Amino acid sequence: MNAQLLIDNIVRQTTVLVAQLATSRGLRAPLAHLANQVFLDLASEVERQGLSRKVSADMFGLALRSYRRRIQRLNESSTDRGRSLWEAVLDYLGQSEVVMRADVLRRFHRDDEAVVRGILSDLCESGLVFRLGRGDSTAFRAATTRELDQVGQRGLGLDELLWVVVYREGPLDVDALSKLMHANRPALEAALARLLEEKRIEQEPGSGKYRSAQLVLMLNDEAGWEASMFDHYQALVRTLCVRLRGEGAADTSGGSTYTFDVWDGHPLGPEVRDTLRRLRRELGDLWDRVERHNGSAGVPAQFEQITVYAGQSGLMRDKFEHQEE
C-alpha cells in the first residue's frame, strides 16, 4: 500500500471540504489556528494508536524535546501558563466592559499574533464575543450570561453537534468533550445542561460521564446541518478505519461507490436520481422497526452498533472532458 500517496490525496480532499465550509453561506471563518490544531489532533490520535512519543516525534520529523515543547506550547497560552489561549482571551475580555484589539494583542504578546487574531474572530463567530468598530478602532465585548441564555447558542448548532459527539464517542466527561469539541467551557456546559433537560443525553451515576442511546437529526433542519454533515463524515472515516484495521467481513463492513452517466431523456435517469430518496425511505422504515422492537424487547448490556451512511451528488460533465480523464 502506498500510504504516503493515499494520505496526501485524502488531505487534499479534506482541505477542499474545509475551504468550502469556511466560505459557505457568506461565511469567512477564521483559519489562522488550523495548522496548529491539525498538529495537535494528529499527534494526539497517533499516540492513541499506542505509539510512544519518541516514535510520534520521529513521524513528524522532530526531536523528542522539540515535539514535547510544541505540544505544550500549543496546548496552553505562552502568556498565561496552565490554560488554553482560547480560555485566557475570553477571560480577559470578560474582565472589562470593552477591550480594544490593540490591548488584547499587547496582553498576549508572547503568543502568536495571527493565532490571537484568529481566536478573536472565532469567538465573535461563535457568539461569545461582540465586535465593535472597524480597523484600528476595533474593540470587543464579551457576551453576558443573560445574553448567552437568551440566544441559547441554538442558532449555532452547538447542541446538535455536541449530541453527535456524545452519541458516537460517549460516555465522555466534560474535560474529554472540551478537548474533542474545542469549544468554550461555559458554552459547552450550558449545552450539556440543555441536552440533559431535553432528555437527549443522560449522565452516568457516579462517573458523571455523558452518553446518549439515540441520535435523531431531522432532514433539512437548519439548526443542525453542521451536526448532520459531521455525523456523515465521521461515519465515513470510521468505516474506512475499520477496513484499514482488517475488521469485519467484506460483505458487511465497508463501502462501495457507483457513478452513473445519464442525461435528459435517459430511460433510467429518473430511477438513478431517485436513489437517495429511496434509500432514505427504506432505511428510515428499517430504523423505525428496529426501535420498536428494542423498545419492547429491551437492549442487552452489550450490543453491536451498525452505522449505514448514504450520499449522492450530481455533476454536469462534458463528454470529451470525461473521456480525456
Side-chain angles (χ1 to χ4, degrees):
M1 179 178 69
N2 193 330
Q4 188 60 58
L5 184 62
L6 177 60
I7 290 170
D8 290 346
N9 279 277
I10 287 178
V11 169
R12 181 172 62 84
Q13 289 300 315
T14 302
T15 57
V16 171
L17 175 60
V18 170
Q20 186 69 54
L21 285 170
T23 58
S24 64
R25 306 188 181 195
L27 184 65
R28 296 295 180 266
L31 298 174
H33 68 293
L34 193 59
N36 290 335
Q37 194 59 62
V38 168
F39 172 80
L40 276 177
D41 288 347
L42 190 55
S44 175
E45 196 58 42
V46 167
E47 291 182 17
R48 280 182 58 188
Q49 302 303 316
L51 300 182
S52 67
R53 281 209 162 182
K54 188 178 186 308
V55 174
S56 299
D58 185 62
M59 292 175 69
F60 283 99
L62 296 171
L64 179 58
R65 178 177 296 181
S66 299
Y67 177 78
R68 285 174 172 167
R69 284 179 176 174
R70 186 173 180 184
I71 288 179
Q72 182 180 12
R73 176 172 58 84
L74 295 177
N75 267 322
E76 63 179 20
S77 167
S78 296
T79 307
D80 286 20
R81 295 293 186 182
R83 58 176 177 170
S84 71
L85 183 56
W86 176 299
E87 289 179 298
V89 170
L90 182 59
D91 181 63
Y92 176 65
L93 294 176
Q95 293 175 13
S96 304
E97 187 171 342
V98 176
V99 183
M100 302 299 296
R101 181 168 61 190
D103 292 332
V104 178
L105 297 178
R106 187 161 42 248
R107 171 68 175 76
F108 296 95
H109 65 281
R110 292 189 179 90
D111 294 285
D112 187 282
E113 181 175 321
V115 175
V116 176
R117 287 176 178 268
I119 287 176
L120 287 171
S121 297
D122 207 9
L123 288 169
C124 293
E125 292 289 346
S126 68
L128 296 170
V129 170
F130 295 106
R131 182 188 286 112
L132 311 169
R134 301 179 63 182
D136 294 337
S137 300
T138 301
F140 301 91
R141 179 176 71 80
T144 65
T145 303
R146 180 179 178 183
E147 288 168 336
L148 292 175
D149 288 341
Q150 289 176 336
V151 176
Q153 299 287 331
R154 296 193 180 279
L156 305 173
L158 175 61
D159 292 18
E160 289 77 14
L161 194 57
L162 181 57
W163 190 13
V164 171
V165 174
V166 171
Y167 175 73
R168 295 295 183 194
E169 304 192 40
L172 296 166
D173 59 23
V174 178
D175 290 335
L177 285 169
S178 183
K179 290 180 180 179
L180 286 173
M181 296 283 293
H182 306 300
N184 170 261
R185 185 68 171 253
L188 183 67
E189 291 176 346
L192 286 170
R194 289 191 295 271
L195 292 173
L196 282 171
E197 183 180 356
E198 295 164 0
K199 301 189 184 306
R200 290 197 273 180
I201 65 173
E202 59 185 9
Q203 195 169 20
E204 293 183 338
S207 71
K209 294 182 178 180
Y210 299 90
R211 65 181 180 184
S212 176
Q214 190 179 81
L215 174 68
V216 181
L217 299 172
M218 302 305 295
L219 185 65
N220 298 324
D221 186 352
E222 187 65 24
W225 71 270
E226 301 99 329
S228 296
M229 178 171 288
F230 173 71
D231 192 43
H232 184 92
Y233 191 71
Q234 186 185 49
L236 168 63
V237 171
R238 186 170 68 175
T239 301
L240 293 175
C241 289
V242 166
R243 295 300 296 145
L244 281 171
R245 292 194 297 265
E247 300 172 0
D251 59 341
T252 59
S253 181
S256 298
T257 303
Y258 302 90
T259 301
F260 304 91
D261 295 333
V262 298
W263 52 87
D264 287 344
H266 194 293
L268 298 178
E271 184 177 348
V272 170
R273 295 186 184 95
D274 193 51
T275 299
L276 183 59
R277 186 182 298 110
R278 290 201 318 272
L279 286 174
R280 280 175 169 158
R281 186 169 55 246
E282 293 172 10
L283 290 172
D285 176 68
L286 178 59
W287 186 87
D288 287 338
R289 288 188 283 128
V290 170
E291 285 300 300
R292 285 197 298 270
H293 172 81
N294 293 352
S296 59
V299 179
Q302 189 174 36
F303 57 91
E304 181 182 10
Q305 187 177 73
I306 298 176
T307 299
V308 180
Y309 62 92
Q312 179 175 309
S313 63
L315 177 66
M316 294 302 297
R317 304 296 300 271
D318 179 81
K319 176 180 178 180
F320 299 102
E321 174 193 17
H322 187 49
Q323 289 178 339
E324 286 173 0
E325 292 181 355

